[in-house]
Amino acid sequence: MAYKNILVEKKEGIATIIINRPKMLNALNTATIGDLTNAVNDLEKDKNIKVVILKGAGEKAFIAGADIKEMKDMNVLEAKQFAEAGHHMLSCIRQSRLPFIAMINGYALGGGCEVLMNCDITIAGRNAKLGQPEINLGISPGFCGTQCLPRLVGRAKAKELLLTGRNLDAEEAYQIGLVNMVVDNDKLEEETEKLAKKIASKSPVQTAFIKALVNMGTDIDMHSACALEVSYFSSSFSTHDQKEGMTAFLEKRKPVFKGK
Ligand code: DAK
């Protein structure tokens, strides 16, 4: 599919989605949200793809938020449709079989921070600035921020950040568990690729199972979540990758997973 505001590159089982509005610091407008939704759904169907990296074009930003120029004159209905489109895109990421790595080069604010919180792993360059500054614009977050942030960093910290709208640097974001790792900016691409390759070498059946179990399990009660784990665990024993993984261990060699 052709996209207007994003680029999609594919190499060795890894897809990279690049949000490509660098002059606007990759702000998310309706068209970009549509492109992202379509790209996630297209990649879902491409069985050669095992991992997705999501990043922003240019040196300054991952995503500097939802597009303020587009939002400014929205009426209630348009704002609802915009928020629903954003939620749908994020839900496609959460429900995808593919692990998503958000690579944060610069600003990840508002909608940008909400996108990374819906990815599976976040790696940030030391120059990253994250936050939910919506309150400074006279709005509250509209793409899951009030729900994702407390789930990731706890209610008290989430409320402090949402109520003040202050930005965090990469180190503080790491300390509170908003990003998984921080690396020097000149190593960001390389380290992200290394991480993606490592995950791409695992069983794609199991990367999908683990993502689904963590995402679903942490939103339901413990008893049901454990039952879900038993069900996924036992169904692994019908796969080639389980036989291969255990055989390879016993034969003291590297497994070759097929995603079957
Ligand atoms: N939207 C539109 N344009 C943006 C933008 C954004 N979020 N962020 C930056 N830009 C544009 C700037 O207007 C500027 O455009 P020109 O003036 O050159 O035409 C260009 O990008 C470069 O930005 P700056 O000149 O400002 O660059 P600086 O380095 O000086 O500053 C900055 C970088 C990131 C600190 C600054 O640009 C900034 O504060 N940007 C806004 C950050 C922000 O407030 N983000 C949160 C946006 S609100 C909802 C649905 C969704 C949401 C809410 C509700 N519902 C419908 C209920 C989500 C809301 C948000 O994400």
Side-chain angles (χ1 to χ4, degrees):
M1 186 178 285
Y3 308 112
K4 188 167 166 247
N5 293 327
I6 64 169
L7 304 169
V8 178
E9 296 168 354
K10 297 179 185 179
K11 196 175 124 197
E12 295 168 22
I14 298 166
T16 303
I17 301 177
I18 305 159
I19 297 141
N20 194 26
R21 302 181 80 209
K23 284 188 186 147
M24 311 278 293
L25 305 189
N26 304 316
L28 292 178
N29 61 357
T30 304
T32 311
I33 289 169
D35 277 355
L36 279 168
T37 308
N38 291 335
V40 172
N41 290 331
D42 288 347
L43 293 172
E44 189 69 10
K45 290 180 223 136
D46 185 339
K47 295 300 173 209
N48 294 318
I49 298 302
K50 296 172 179 161
V51 179
V52 182
I53 296 170
L54 185 54
K55 66 182 188 183
E59 299 300 310
K60 278 184 75 172
F62 171 62
I63 299 168
D67 189 327
I68 299 168
K69 283 181 192 133
E70 190 183 67
M71 281 191 297
K72 181 180 161 290
D73 293 322
M74 280 180 183
N75 62 31
V76 174
L77 184 60
E78 287 162 342
K80 183 168 181 282
Q81 287 166 343
F82 186 60
E84 282 171 351
H87 274 267
H88 176 61
M89 183 257 292
L90 297 174
S91 159
C92 290
I93 292 176
R94 286 197 305 276
Q95 290 182 38
S96 166
R97 68 182 170 87
L98 296 164
F100 275 68
I101 301 172
M103 190 193 104
I104 313 303
N105 179 19
Y107 293 106
L109 302 176
C113 192
E114 289 165 316
V115 169
L116 74 85
M117 289 192 286
N118 282 276
C119 291
D120 302 296
I121 301 181
T122 298
I123 176 165
R126 262 178 230 292
N127 72 340
K129 291 263 186 298
L130 299 88
Q132 299 286 160
E134 285 89 341
I135 195 158
N136 302 327
L137 298 168
I139 55 171
S140 44
F143 292 160
C144 260
T146 59
Q147 302 310 309
C148 293
L149 199 57
R151 281 168 169 77
L152 274 176
V153 306
R155 282 194 201 200
K157 191 49 127 180
K159 282 188 240 175
E160 176 214 322
L161 296 174
L162 293 165
L163 292 171
T164 63
R166 78 176 172 90
N167 290 348
L168 306 177
D169 63 18
E171 189 52 40
E172 187 178 357
Y174 172 71
Q175 295 297 340
I176 66 168
L178 190 52
V179 307
N180 294 77
M181 53 197 96
V182 180
V183 301
D184 289 339
N185 294 323
D186 59 351
K187 292 270 186 311
L188 184 57
E189 293 272 352
E190 184 187 326
E191 290 299 324
T192 306
E193 201 172 312
K194 221 190 268 178
L195 178 65
K197 279 187 177 159
K198 185 166 206 158
I199 296 171
S201 74
K202 312 295 181 193
S203 161
V205 178
Q206 293 307 324
T207 57
F209 277 16
I210 287 165
K211 172 169 174 168
L213 281 167
V214 174
N215 281 354
M216 281 192 283
T218 50
D219 278 341
I220 58 178
D221 67 282
M222 185 70 169
H223 184 72
S224 309
C226 288
L228 207 58
E229 189 187 74
V230 169
S231 158
Y232 274 64
F233 174 78
S234 50
S235 71
S236 301
F237 285 73
S238 68
T239 65
H240 160 276
D241 287 354
Q242 175 267 328
K243 305 282 177 261
E244 168 62 9
M246 293 191 175
T247 305
F249 173 79
L250 295 171
E251 291 177 354
K252 301 188 187 306
R253 62 174 174 82
K254 277 199 162 173
V256 183
F257 294 120
K258 292 188 175 167
K260 292 182 185 166

